[in-house]
Amino acid sequence: MRVSELSQATGVPVPTIKYYLREGLLPRGETTTSPNQASYSDEHVTRLRLIRSLLDVGGLSVATVRDVLAAVDDPDTSLHDVLGRAVGTVTATGADADDEHHARARTRLAGLIDDRGWHVSPHAPAREAAVAALATIYRLGLENLDSLADVYAGAAEQVAEADLGSVVQVADRDRRVQTALVGTVVGDALFAALRRMAQEHTSAKHFPPAQDPEQR
Amino acid sequence: MRVSELSQATGVPVPTIKYYLREGLLPRGETTTSPNQASYSDEHVTRLRLIRSLLDVGGLSVATVRDVLAAVDDPDTSLHDVLGRAVGTVTATGADADDEHHARARTRLAGLIDDRGWHVSPHAPAREAAVAALATIYRLGLENLDSLADVYAGAAEQVAEADLGSVVQVADRDRRVQTALVGTVVGDALFAALRRMAQEHTSAKHFPPAQDPEQR
DNA sequence: GGGGAGTAGACAGCTCCGCTATCCGATAGC
DNA sequence: GCTATCGGATAGCGGAGCTGTCTACTCCCC
């Protein structure tokens, strides 16, 4: 399969494919016969689709996708590390992370993790992300959102159990990692959308719309 | 309060504040005495902090923040519409949304909503977002992730109930809208982080780490 | 075996986004 | 008056994510 066929099979323009090759998201095709005649396999098609999913639906950056996929390709990398890199995008604020609100958020999260009996690495990037979110709530003075964290944690636990259940079904290592990756990244988007719909439903249930005014 | 004090109170550089004024994220200060001597109030401080939260933690674009805040300021806009605009960021793919996978995803989502008894507007942007996420799963052939949607929907329902509970506590209209907005946008980030931690915990529970090899 | 289409690879350029820097005339406070 | 600062406008900058162009080569069809 040549690059134009790869393009046609995935809908990704040829120059973009070349760009991904350059950036190391997509491995080079096998250049068997001559140095300017590479051939691509079905794995390239799969990989390219995965890349577009992570970029478009998952909202990851090209650099993050590169790192995540490098981790996927390395058989020594644990599944947990792969996901850690995937979440690294949103995090990495780093700056001014040392005011009173952060301190409070850190304490709150530690208590929450303790209550739940969770075992979470102290260096997990998700910790910083959660602290940043909580600190934002405190900084804006929205105290009554604080209690939501407990509900979220319970729901997150259910979701995570289901996630793991789906992942362990998969025997093949590469496919399992891919399942976990997509489940996590695309799952975020799916859950957020479902949450929005559930909010609309719940809101309508408690405040019955008179006759759906269709105002805007 | 002049612009330099506003800057000092929020940590946002003066040129950036001017940029937000230009873009209409932040209302102009009152220009009482002379045309080049505006004064800013505490509301500007609050607003500016909100803007930074939506940009940094929520990951919204400047244009989206502008639209969302315009909706917040318009007393005729329903809370539901404000949130609809907030989610509009991730959505808006629009292109090539008509293959077999999308059709299947649409059917699946309709069934899920029906099973749950949800009442969701047919034009809700969250619908398209959810369809896009499901279609991605199908396109990648990760069939065993399909069943997760039901678990997610259940968890989303719990989260949404709690969200609404927090929002209805707030009496003041403006503050209530702001609570809902931040709760939704920052809540997405918080939930995602908690989910990641719960995944780590669940994974460790089912596959006890030998002695925490600390490999990478 | 000649010719046109296609290819790998390199490199420059383009558009958009989120700021940032500079300038201007006016004003505030001393 | 004098200087620092202000509001407002305009231009520029740096990174991200492609896109376009060029060159040397090779494939396939005639």
Side-chain angles (χ1 to χ4, degrees):
Chain A
M1 185 185 298
R2 303 195 281 293
V3 73
S4 61
E5 301 173 76
L6 181 57
S7 169
Q8 205 145 18
T10 58
V12 179
V14 172
T16 303
I17 294 176
K18 290 187 172 188
Y19 168 65
Y20 293 157
L21 289 169
R22 262 200 318 280
E23 293 297 314
L25 306 204
L26 195 64
R28 302 266 176 203
E30 298 222 353
T31 169
T32 52
T33 62
S34 71
N36 71 336
Q37 211 65 11
S39 79
Y40 302 92
S41 66
D42 284 347
E43 287 188 19
H44 286 89
V45 176
T46 305
R47 181 63 161 258
L48 193 44
R49 280 204 251 263
L50 175 60
I51 290 168
R52 292 311 290 234
S53 299
L54 296 178
L55 290 176
D56 295 344
V57 182
L60 303 191
S61 71
V62 168
T64 303
V65 172
R66 188 212 299 107
D67 293 349
V68 168
L69 291 184
V72 167
D73 292 337
D74 179 2
D76 292 338
T77 309
S78 71
L79 196 145
H80 162 245
D81 285 330
V82 172
L83 298 187
R85 293 190 196 207
V87 80
T89 303
V90 188
T91 321
T93 48
D96 75 321
D98 288 318
D99 58 354
E100 47 170 330
H101 305 295
H102 265 81
R104 184 178 164 198
R106 219 169 278 282
T107 306
R108 172 77 167 100
L109 182 66
L112 192 150
I113 289 173
D114 196 55
D115 288 350
R116 286 265 147 203
W118 284 356
H119 183 291
V120 181
S121 159
H123 307 301
R127 269 184 189 262
E128 289 309 307
V131 166
L134 283 171
T136 298
I137 287 169
Y138 298 146
R139 189 172 301 112
L140 296 175
L142 301 175
E143 302 299 328
N144 57 333
L145 290 181
D146 177 81
S147 62
L148 289 179
D150 299 297
V151 179
Y152 287 14
E157 209 169 282
Q158 296 172 34
V159 166
E161 297 267 2
D163 287 337
L164 195 75
S166 285
V167 169
V168 295
Q169 290 174 1
V170 183
D172 177 61
R173 188 260 175 197
D174 281 358
R175 193 131 188 99
R176 188 169 62 243
V177 173
Q178 189 183 329
T179 301
L181 179 56
V182 173
T184 297
V185 173
V186 175
D188 277 352
L190 178 57
F191 181 85
L194 290 171
R195 178 178 172 224
R196 220 64 91 250
M197 288 187 272
Q199 284 175 338
E200 179 182 341
H201 164 71
T202 305
S203 173
K205 198 174 62 181
H206 285 75
F207 305 105
Q211 42 187 341
D212 205 85
E214 190 63 28
Q215 66 172 0
R216 50 161 312 184
Chain B
M1 187 185 298
R2 311 220 194 297
V3 73
S4 61
E5 300 174 75
L6 181 58
S7 168
Q8 206 145 16
T10 58
V12 179
V14 172
T16 304
I17 293 175
K18 289 187 172 187
Y19 168 65
Y20 293 156
L21 288 169
R22 263 199 317 279
E23 294 297 314
L25 305 203
L26 194 62
R28 300 269 177 198
E30 297 221 353
T31 170
T32 52
T33 62
S34 71
N36 71 335
Q37 211 66 6
S39 80
Y40 301 93
S41 66
D42 284 347
E43 285 188 22
H44 286 89
V45 176
T46 305
R47 181 63 162 259
L48 193 45
R49 279 205 251 263
L50 175 60
I51 290 169
R52 292 310 289 237
S53 300
L54 295 179
L55 289 176
D56 295 344
V57 182
L60 304 191
S61 70
V62 168
T64 303
V65 172
R66 181 190 34 262
D67 294 348
V68 168
L69 291 184
V72 167
D73 291 338
D74 179 2
D76 293 339
T77 308
S78 72
L79 197 146
H80 161 247
D81 285 331
V82 172
L83 299 187
R85 293 190 194 205
V87 80
T89 303
V90 188
T91 322
T93 49
D96 75 321
D98 289 316
D99 57 354
E100 47 169 331
H101 304 296
H102 264 82
R104 183 177 164 199
R106 220 169 279 280
T107 306
R108 172 77 167 99
L109 182 66
L112 193 150
I113 289 173
D114 197 53
D115 288 349
R116 284 267 147 202
W118 285 355
H119 183 289
V120 180
S121 159
H123 308 302
R127 269 184 190 262
E128 289 309 309
V131 166
L134 283 171
T136 298
I137 287 169
Y138 298 145
R139 189 172 301 114
L140 295 175
L142 302 174
E143 301 299 329
N144 57 334
L145 290 182
D146 178 82
S147 61
L148 288 179
D150 299 297
V151 179
Y152 288 12
E157 208 169 284
Q158 296 172 34
V159 166
E161 297 266 2
D163 287 337
L164 195 75
S166 286
V167 169
V168 295
Q169 290 174 2
V170 183
D172 177 62
R173 188 259 176 196
D174 281 358
R175 193 132 189 98
R176 188 168 61 242
V177 174
Q178 189 184 329
T179 301
L181 179 57
V182 173
T184 298
V185 173
V186 175
D188 276 353
L190 178 57
F191 181 86
L194 289 171
R195 178 178 172 223
R196 220 65 91 250
M197 287 187 272
Q199 284 175 337
E200 180 182 341
H201 165 71
T202 305
S203 173
K205 198 174 63 183
H206 285 75
F207 305 104
Q211 42 188 339
D212 204 84
E214 190 62 24
Q215 66 172 359
R216 49 159 311 183

